[in-house]
Amino acid sequence: MSKQTDDFFKNIISHAKEYGFVFPSSEIYDGLSAVYDYGQMGSELKNNLKTYWWKSMVQLNENIVGIDAAIFMHPTTWKASGHVDGFNDPMIDNKDSKKRYRADQLIEDKIDRYEKDGKTDKATRLQKDLDDAITADDLVRLKAIIEEHHIVCPISGTKNWTDVRQFNLMFATQMGAMAEEAEKVYLRPETAQGIFVNFLNVQKTGRMKIPFGIAQIGKAFRNEVIARQFIMRMREFEQMELQFFIRPGTEMEWYEKWKATRLKWHLALGADATKYRYHDHVKPAHYANAAVDIEYQFPFGFKEVEGIHSRTDFDLKQHQEYSKKKIQYFDPEINQNYVPYVVETSIGLDRLFLTVLANSLVEEDLSTEEKKDSRVVLKFHPAIAPVKAAVLPLTKKDGLPDKAREIMTKLKLDFNIQYDEKDAIGKRYRRQDAIGTPFCITVDYQTLEDNTVTIRHRDSMEQERVPAADLRNIIGELVSWNNLLEQLM
Ligand code: GAP
């Protein structure tokens, strides 16, 4: 990371904390590694991102329905899905620092370093070596690559490495109070399995016809060994997943369709298209025959935000085999029973949250010849802004607060509104800019006479005088979900 991008990333983290978006978990006890809490602004933003996803999936598509499955599932679920045996990362320990690393990430960091130093050929060759070793599941080769490229431990600076070993990422716990009756259960590492095991329930009770989808938003847990880059890689995080059930043989058509649909969804939020790219997997996960990531250009480089997988009939067939229950669909159009194929879209809500912060945080220089000035603004798309408008009485006296509260009381039925009477008006505008509020409504002496207010627009900072009675329409038009959803139609 260059100094400039490093500073920008640090700014995002400190801004997120200072304005109540994200706090380290249990901070009074010095935090818990790779676990974060969302504050008063963060949880509003997160809820809005969930609403955008849910509306775009469930509300806009008559053949997609949503569910909310439990985090705990029967332990055989994870045997059937392949997670007990195959959900591993290749890990290597440094014997001097006693620190553990993901072997592939150490190598990827080296590739980044070669690229930054202009050694493009070396970077390309190393990427190919890494891809070959990962595809072949060759742990010995991974260690050899680390040694050949003189990769050292960032803490000890030595090359005193152990062999590369596989490390399972699932958290396990016990269910049942008595030791003798306790059963080992896992905290789900993906929400997808809650959908697969409910395939028949939903298909039958909803009378769903293929192609159809089941969507879900929920927590997932992974014992990530290398947890870094703020909310990018957490041990407890949230996923928004769609499993789209289709006729076998049509999967590549649906895979391409969902790839395009999902990128469009991201771009509708207003990000520059050059900040997104697709990255095809060289070695798709054990359940997929094709996989691509949608990557966003974070300050620390392009990284995965969402994965799209063609999961074939792997999961349903596995559950059919392990549960001994027939999981099939009768397709009346071709008069055949089959186990449906699946195309999955899976987005990490926390990573999406980070893209939105990175994309919206702007520091603007407002200096004039007379004085230096600047402001920090979160230029969120208005539909996802945590607070839609702030109502600000010009002074704390002469009945202005009462009038402001009267206006606020009407607006809060429709929108999340803040009231603020502390400090000079300019300072209050800045506070609202910093949390991304699209409108500031100022109540002044003229309001008492003619019931008009000034409304200030966050991005242009322009102010206009409007009747208080028009506020609901003015705000409603700009913050409407339609502005996002219409772009997807
Ligand atoms: N059901 C498929 C699945 O779970 P994945 O690529 O492992 O696929 C999907 O995860 C998405 O979940 C990723 O694109 C990422 O946004 C998010 N994600 C995965 N691990 C994460 C972690 N440790 N912290 C935050 N988000 C994570």
Side-chain angles (χ1 to χ4, degrees), residues 403-404 406-407 410 442-454 465-471:
K403 185 69 191 168
E406 181 193 309
I407 290 171
K410 285 194 185 127
T442 306
V443 173
D444 55 18
Y445 289 100
Q446 194 180 328
T447 315
L448 299 179
E449 285 163 24
D450 63 6
N451 219 21
T452 63
V453 293
T454 60
R465 189 125 211 135
V466 299
D470 291 354
L471 285 171

Side-chain angles (χ1 to χ4, degrees), residues 190 222 224 232 234 239 241 304-305 311 344 346 348:
E190 61 168 11
R222 293 183 191 177
E224 301 282 2
M232 190 63 200
M234 300 155 87
Q239 289 185 317
E241 297 201 302
E304 171 188 357
V305 183
R311 287 183 85 127
E344 169 189 72
S346 173

Side-chain angles (χ1 to χ4, degrees), residues 93-99 143 158 160-163:
D93 293 34
N94 182 269
K95 292 182 198 164
D96 299 320
S97 66
K98 310 269 185 277
K99 290 279 174 203
K143 180 168 182 195
T158 71
N160 196 6
W161 296 112
T162 61
D163 288 340

Side-chain angles (χ1 to χ4, degrees), residues 87 189-192 222 224 231-235 237-239 241 243 287 293 304-307 309 311 344 346-351:
F87 193 51
E190 61 168 11
T191 59
R222 293 183 191 177
E224 301 282 2
I231 53 173
M232 190 63 200
R233 190 170 295 284
M234 300 155 87
R235 297 203 166 100
F237 58 100
E238 212 158 342
Q239 289 185 317
E241 297 201 302
Q243 307 302 323
Y287 48 73
D293 294 336
E304 171 188 357
V305 183
E306 172 156 6
H309 298 103
R311 287 183 85 127
E344 169 189 72
S346 173
I347 177 170
L349 178 54
D350 312 271
R351 281 193 196 175

